[in-house]
Amino acid sequence: MTGLTSNPVPGRRSLTQISDLSDSEIVDLLGRAEIYRKQELGTRRFSDELKDSVVATLFFEGSTRTRLSFTLAAERLGARVIDLAVSASSVSKGESLKDTCDTVSALGADAVVVRHPNEGAPLQIASWTSLAVVNAGDGCHEHPTQALGDLFSLSSAFEGVGNLAAKKIAIVGDILHSRVARSLSALLGRFGSKVVLVGPPDMMVDRPSALGAEFSFDLDEVVGEVDVLYLLRIQRERIQGGYHSSIDSYTRRFQLDQKRYLRMAPKSIVMHPGPVNRGVELAVKLPEERSLISEQVRNGVLMRMAVFSKILATASDDRRSQRGVFGD
Ligand code: ASP
């Protein structure tokens, strides 16, 4: 499937994976996020362009920053946000995912932001309902808005998305279970960056080339050569049977410690999608100018605003026209 408009329900737009987006749609999202950044730096006031829209958040997995980020993004543009607290809802009484989505739809939502442990759940929802669906992370599959926010951070750091073509970016850690690694390598490959996936063999994907990336089992081999070191957390909750290798051996080989940090190129930068496990993947205090970690959180909100503005402008028009057909 390609194109944001490829939601199975005609006229609805969903974002379930990076391949839903064309290159020009990605550039358009970067432009929208930049407009919101200027508004934020200036007046901190945003238009209420989504004031007739209702966004539902449906998180079947824990989340702090992603849920807050989506909520803030929707509210900044004037949308109403309804949060279905999954453990307190009928889902814990056995309601099926389809029934839950039908309920969210009947409550008048235009869009649903979904985080789910099963790969493909957001796409499945998009095929069942007329809601615009935004994937907030599905199992080990994708986390497209995280990657888009990171692309926005990178394009700002390197003064334009065009400059990413010459950059080498190492994504380091538990690649196998990371939805961020999948979305980000797919996205960066589209802009010509050289992506190297780095991690132990038991945390590496079978075919890095399918993600448009090279791979290495040795961080020391690549740390001095990269423009960006993108660190990942070990995704313990997604490792079947638990993580049995020794954390000591992991940190010895893949931790960004003082020694490795000093080997990095002087202007190279460090990123992390959070939450950071200090003392595991990161054990050095980074100077502000070398870390994009806080910027990633700020830019994540701006990018989610951009995504909502792009998909919901159409969604509320559709809903208004449906109301027109069925009366009020
Ligand atoms: N927050 C990111 C995710 O939901 C990364 C992580 O949890 O390690 O995938």
Side-chain angles (χ1 to χ4, degrees):
M1 293 205 347
T2 52
L4 257 184
T5 48
S6 60
N7 187 296
V9 177
R12 266 294 183 254
R13 303 177 150 211
S14 287
L15 175 56
T16 63
Q17 52 199 1
I18 291 299
S19 62
D20 288 348
L21 296 164
S22 67
D23 290 354
S24 62
E25 283 170 327
I26 295 168
V27 171
D28 176 61
L29 287 171
L30 292 172
R32 286 174 193 244
E34 188 56 47
I35 292 171
Y36 294 133
R37 190 209 314 267
K38 291 205 174 107
Q39 290 173 352
E40 186 182 42
L41 289 173
T43 58
R44 292 191 63 83
R45 293 171 71 116
F46 305 97
S47 75
D48 59 355
E49 60 187 281
L50 299 182
K51 79 174 164 32
D52 294 327
S53 301
V54 176
V55 171
T57 54
L58 200 53
F59 278 60
F60 292 86
E61 256 188 14
S63 162
T64 314
R65 75 199 71 216
T66 305
R67 186 202 291 252
L68 287 177
S69 179
F70 272 110
T71 301
L72 187 59
E75 287 182 353
R76 275 179 168 184
L77 296 178
R80 297 244 353 234
V81 179
I82 52 175
D83 175 47
L84 197 93
V86 171
S87 60
S89 76
S90 304
V91 174
S92 61
K93 298 180 196 157
E95 187 177 66
S96 75
L97 182 59
K98 168 121 177 32
D99 289 343
T100 308
C101 293
D102 287 346
T103 306
V104 169
S105 207
L107 283 170
D110 298 286
V112 62
V113 177
V114 186
R115 170 167 286 192
H116 201 283
N118 294 348
E119 288 84 15
L123 191 61
Q124 177 78 77
I125 294 171
S127 75
W128 282 333
T129 73
S130 61
L131 296 161
V133 180
V134 182
N135 181 2
D138 59 333
C140 303
H141 179 224
E142 286 226 24
H143 196 346
T145 59
Q146 173 73 45
L148 287 162
D150 293 341
L151 182 73
F152 182 46
S153 299
L154 282 165
S155 108
S156 312
F158 292 110
E159 293 166 3
V161 77
N163 291 328
L164 295 183
K167 301 296 176 221
K168 184 164 177 176
I169 295 156
I171 306 179
V172 185
D174 181 4
I175 309 295
L176 183 61
H177 302 99
S178 172
R179 51 201 178 200
V180 176
R182 277 179 187 72
S183 291
L184 192 60
S185 6
L187 194 53
L188 289 171
R190 301 264 285 266
F191 292 92
S193 307
K194 189 166 175 195
V195 179
V196 194
L197 305 173
V198 185
D202 58 340
M203 291 184 182
M204 187 54 68
V205 283
D206 282 343
R207 290 176 48 234
S209 59
L211 299 176
E214 294 174 7
F215 74 98
S216 168
F217 298 138
D218 185 356
L219 179 56
D220 291 311
E221 190 181 86
V222 297
V223 75
E225 294 173 359
V226 297
D227 299 288
V228 179
L229 202 63
Y230 193 107
L231 303 173
L232 297 171
R233 176 179 71 88
I234 299 177
Q235 311 275 306
R236 289 170 186 278
E237 70 280 20
R238 272 186 270 288
I239 302 180
Q240 302 208 332
Y243 180 59
H244 298 302
S245 307
S246 122
I247 287 286
D248 276 357
S249 120
Y250 180 87
T251 54
R252 227 179 308 116
R253 293 158 64 209
F254 298 100
Q255 181 182 75
L256 181 62
D257 56 11
Q258 184 71 14
K259 226 166 103 201
R260 291 195 177 103
Y261 174 68
L262 291 174
R263 289 193 48 221
M264 289 179 68
K267 288 202 171 142
S268 58
I269 50 182
V270 177
M271 299 177 77
H272 194 304
V276 178
N277 280 329
R278 296 210 181 261
V280 182
E281 63 267 20
L282 179 63
V284 64
K285 189 163 173 2
L286 299 164
E288 225 172 276
E289 67 281 9
R290 299 285 301 280
S291 166
L292 281 188
I293 298 174
S294 302
E295 199 63 12
Q296 286 175 265
V297 178
R298 277 192 287 277
N299 287 338
V301 180
L302 299 171
M303 180 49 78
R304 288 176 179 115
M305 291 168 76
V307 167
F308 281 138
S309 82
K310 198 166 171 68
I311 65 173
L312 279 175
T314 315
S316 32
D317 289 350
D318 288 352
R319 187 162 285 282
R320 270 193 285 278
S321 66
Q322 281 170 19
R323 281 192 188 123
V325 174
F326 296 110
D328 56 4

